[in-house]
Structure formats: C-alpha cells, structure tokens
Amino acid sequence: MPRRGNRKRLKFRADDVSSDRVTVADFANSDPAVVKSGRVRKAVANAVQTEVKALCGLEASRVPSEDGLSGLSENGNDESCDELEENSNGTSFRKKKSKKQKVRSSPESSPADGGDYPIDIWLVLSSYIRPEDIVTFALICKKAWTVTCTAVFWMRLYKRHYHSSCYLPVRLLPEYMYRLRALRACVIRSLFHMYEPFCSRVAKNPSLPDSTPNTLLNSKCLLFWCKKVETGSRPEQLWEFNFKFRKLPLKQKNHCLNGLQPPAEYKEVHFNPDQDCFLFQVTTLNFIFFPVVMGMTLTYLTMNVSTDMRHHRVRLVFQDCPVLNGKKPRGEQGVQIVLDPVHSVQLLDWWQPKYPFSTMA
C-alpha cells in the first residue's frame, strides 16, 4: 500500500483556469486524498465566477476583490457564494443570500394610506356597539367621533336599551328625551338605570371607600346642604352632609382648549351643567355644626379610624385659593371641618343615580 503522503495533489493557476478545466476534484465531494480541504480554492472560484459573469453580460469588475466567495447579483443585492456544484448540464454556480441584507423600499411596497369612508357608514356601525365601547369607537377616526356627537346616535342608544319595567326619573322618561338640550348627559344617566353592566357597577360601591378620595383635592365647593336620614336598620336618625365640588380646570399654555370640542350644531346636545362635578356625601350619627364653606377650595382631606375604634373620622380643610405644586397647606389657615363619628362615605359622579340633578336641564 502506498503512503498517502506520496500522492500528488492537483495545482491550479488563477490565470489559466476556465470552465473547461474544472474537474470533479475541485468540489467538496471529491477524494479527500486529492483535495485535502473539502472546499474549492478562492483563486479557482474567482476565475469561474468572472467567466460566468462575463457570459451573463455583466462586467467582471463588479465582482468584489476582497472576498472571492461574494458577489453582486443582477438586482444589486449583496449575496455570498456557498459552494460550486456540478450537474449533468455542466457547471453551475449556486449563491446563498446573506442574512444581513438591506431591504429597499419601493413605492409598490409602501403601506397604503387607508380608505376614507363616508359618515353614513360610521353612523350605521354605531348602531351595533355597546355603551362601554363608545370611547373606543370614537377614537377610530374623526368621522367616527363626529357620529358620537350627533343627537341621532344618542337617541338610538337610548331606544335600544329602554324598557318600560325599569324605574326612571321624570326627566329621563321617553316623552322628555326629545329635548336636544343636555341629551347626551340624560342618556348616560338613563343607562345607569337600564343597562345591567352599569347598574351592577354602581351596586358594588362600598359604603366606605378603601382609601381616601384624593381626587377631590383643589376642587371648589359649589353647594352644601344637610338633611336627616331615616333607616330601618337603626332606631336613631342619621345626618347626611353633602358637598358638591367642581374640579378646577388645569391651566393651559397659549389658551389651549381641553380636548376636542363638538361641532357647533351639536353644542346643545353636549350641554351638561354638572360636567366635572362630584358629590361628597358623609353620613354621621349626630348633627355637627360648622361654618359655611361654599365658594372655598378643598385643600386637605383625611379619612381614618375614630377614637372609639368603631367608626370613622373625616377631616376637611378649606381655603380661599388652591394649593398647587404639591405644597402642604398651613394648619392655621383656612376652615377646618371634622366629622366624627362617621357611618358611611360616598363619592358620587354626575352620572350615578344617587346624584341629584335638575329636571330643567
């Protein structure tokens, strides 16, 4: 047996290599004794690639000289050569695309701008959305938002959920709902009497909140009244103290408006005198006298356990002007109100059934 070291290897020169002189020994499946590395040499690959480019009508100068296994395809994308393979028709050159390939954007591949549908289509679609999805529907586009401003939209929503077996205040009855003034606010209030998901949401409100309602801070007290409350579970009477607050608007630069404004022809529909208003309702075991605080701003509010450890205690501090930028109010300034002992505390929004509103709205 002759030794493997005595076998001669094929040698090629890059200047005289052509497609006619390429043999099986040039490829990876050749005898490893003839070609030790299972890969063709760069000189041979460059020569074959140059000849193939010339036959295809491409200039040989476009072939990069840094790496003999890389080249430019006809469409200009960078590609890398994998291996040279031979088939029955002759020699062929197989290319493998690089992972780092730049994708060029063309006008044909650019995303479409979207379709512009007439407002009548959005009005038809609005008849099938749920009350809790109105905000999502209005955020689709400007025309969808415009539909939610119309009186037709709110009347359809009211008729779809109205049923005669449900109790409604006089202002929310069908014979009074044809008034355009404050139509949107009245429909929203009626949904909390007729629509089951909204009714169950209100019924879950506890008699005492889990935490102090800090949303009332820096709100202006518009009205204040108190009344006696009779309950069947307790023999003695309770006193209910009601504070109506309005949230002060934030100062905007350049006199910017807060949010979108409805079209001029639908301003009566969106009229709501109780917008941004809250009712803070505190029920105590006995009557407590304190000075008038209407027109003042609530700057401090705490709710903790009373001294008898059986009830709660509510402390409110009112001042003539709001306290901004996280500053703490001074104890000697303003009017302080302490309600103790407290039986229940509720914070009512303007759309809740227990919130009092004018029937002339």
Side-chain angles (χ1 to χ4, degrees):
M1 292 293 293
R3 296 182 181 178
R4 292 185 179 181
N6 298 333
R7 293 184 181 182
K8 297 182 180 180
R9 298 179 180 177
L10 298 178
K11 296 183 180 181
F12 296 93
R13 290 181 297 178
D15 52 354
D16 60 349
V17 174
S18 62
S19 60
D20 297 333
R21 300 185 59 182
V22 177
T23 61
V24 180
D26 298 331
F27 298 93
N29 58 352
S30 61
D31 186 6
V34 179
V35 181
K36 187 175 182 180
S37 62
R39 196 173 183 88
V40 70
R41 294 184 180 180
K42 291 185 178 180
V44 178
N46 288 337
V48 175
Q49 187 178 14
T50 304
E51 185 173 343
V52 172
K53 295 290 185 180
L55 294 176
C56 296
L58 300 176
E59 297 180 359
S61 59
R62 294 179 58 184
V63 181
S65 59
E66 296 180 0
D67 188 2
L69 301 180
S70 62
L72 293 175
S73 62
E74 295 182 2
N75 55 5
N77 296 332
D78 294 340
E79 297 179 351
S80 61
C81 301
D82 186 14
E83 292 179 357
L84 292 177
E85 294 183 355
E86 183 180 9
N87 52 21
S88 60
N89 299 330
T91 58
S92 62
F93 193 78
R94 186 179 67 179
K95 299 179 181 179
K96 185 177 180 181
K97 294 184 178 180
S98 175
K99 294 182 180 180
K100 299 180 180 180
Q101 186 175 3
K102 298 181 180 179
V103 179
R104 297 185 179 181
S105 60
S106 59
E108 293 79 5
S109 62
S110 59
D113 297 335
D116 187 11
Y117 300 98
I119 196 172
D120 296 338
I121 296 180
W122 296 108
L123 188 60
V124 173
L125 294 176
S126 65
S127 302
Y128 299 94
I129 62 175
R130 301 179 302 174
E132 56 265 29
D133 297 332
I134 294 178
V135 176
T136 306
F137 177 78
L139 293 175
I140 296 177
C141 62
K142 188 175 182 180
K143 289 185 178 180
W145 169 79
T146 306
V147 166
T148 60
C149 297
T150 61
V152 177
F153 171 79
W154 294 105
M155 281 303 301
R156 288 180 179 178
L157 186 65
Y158 176 82
K159 293 180 179 179
R160 199 191 327 156
H161 298 281
Y162 172 76
H163 47 89
S164 58
S165 61
C166 181
Y167 168 78
L168 290 175
V170 177
R171 176 63 180 88
L172 304 181
L173 292 176
E175 53 267 23
Y176 294 95
M177 292 298 293
Y178 288 94
R179 301 177 185 175
L180 291 181
R181 188 174 179 84
L183 177 62
R184 173 180 172 272
C186 292
V187 173
I188 294 175
R189 286 191 175 104
S190 65
L191 289 175
F192 281 87
H193 291 274
M194 304 182 300
Y195 191 54
E196 180 60 29
F198 288 178
C199 296
S200 59
R201 186 186 306 176
V202 175
K204 293 179 180 179
N205 289 342
S207 59
L208 289 170
D210 298 334
S211 59
T212 303
N214 294 324
T215 56
L216 292 175
L217 295 180
N218 291 328
S219 300
K220 187 176 182 180
C221 182
L222 302 180
L223 291 175
F224 162 75
W225 69 93
C226 64
K227 62 178 181 179
K228 288 184 179 181
V229 180
E230 296 182 0
T231 58
S233 59
R234 299 180 63 90
E236 64 274 12
Q237 293 182 344
L238 302 178
W239 288 87
E240 184 181 272
F241 296 88
N242 297 274
F243 301 87
K244 183 178 180 180
F245 293 98
R246 179 187 293 275
K247 194 69 177 177
L248 297 178
L250 299 176
K251 293 184 179 180
Q252 300 285 338
K253 294 182 179 180
N254 301 328
H255 304 284
C256 296
L257 298 177
N258 294 330
L260 292 174
Q261 299 298 320
E265 58 269 24
Y266 301 121
K267 283 187 177 181
E268 288 293 317
V269 176
H270 286 255
F271 174 76
N272 186 8
D274 293 327
Q275 187 69 31
D276 299 329
C277 290
F278 303 90
L279 183 65
F280 188 59
Q281 194 175 85
V282 182
T283 305
T284 61
L285 302 180
N286 47 36
F287 178 79
I288 301 174
F289 177 80
F290 49 84
V292 178
V293 293
M294 288 188 300
M296 303 184 71
T297 303
L298 179 65
T299 58
Y300 188 75
L301 173 63
T302 57
M303 187 180 66
N304 46 32
V305 182
S306 180
T307 54
D308 58 359
M309 305 299 292
R310 296 173 54 190
H311 302 88
H312 282 73
R313 176 177 178 268
V314 177
R315 178 170 173 258
L316 304 94
V317 177
F318 292 86
Q319 293 187 0
D320 295 331
C321 58
V323 178
L324 302 178
N325 300 328
K327 297 181 181 179
K328 295 182 179 180
R330 296 181 180 179
E332 64 274 7
Q333 295 180 355
V335 178
Q336 177 175 293
I337 297 176
V338 178
L339 301 175
D340 185 21
V342 173
H343 178 261
S344 63
V345 176
Q346 286 189 346
L347 180 62
L348 305 177
D349 295 286
W350 63 267
W351 56 79
Q352 296 190 10
K354 292 184 179 180
Y355 185 93
F357 67 98
S358 176
T359 58
M360 301 302 295

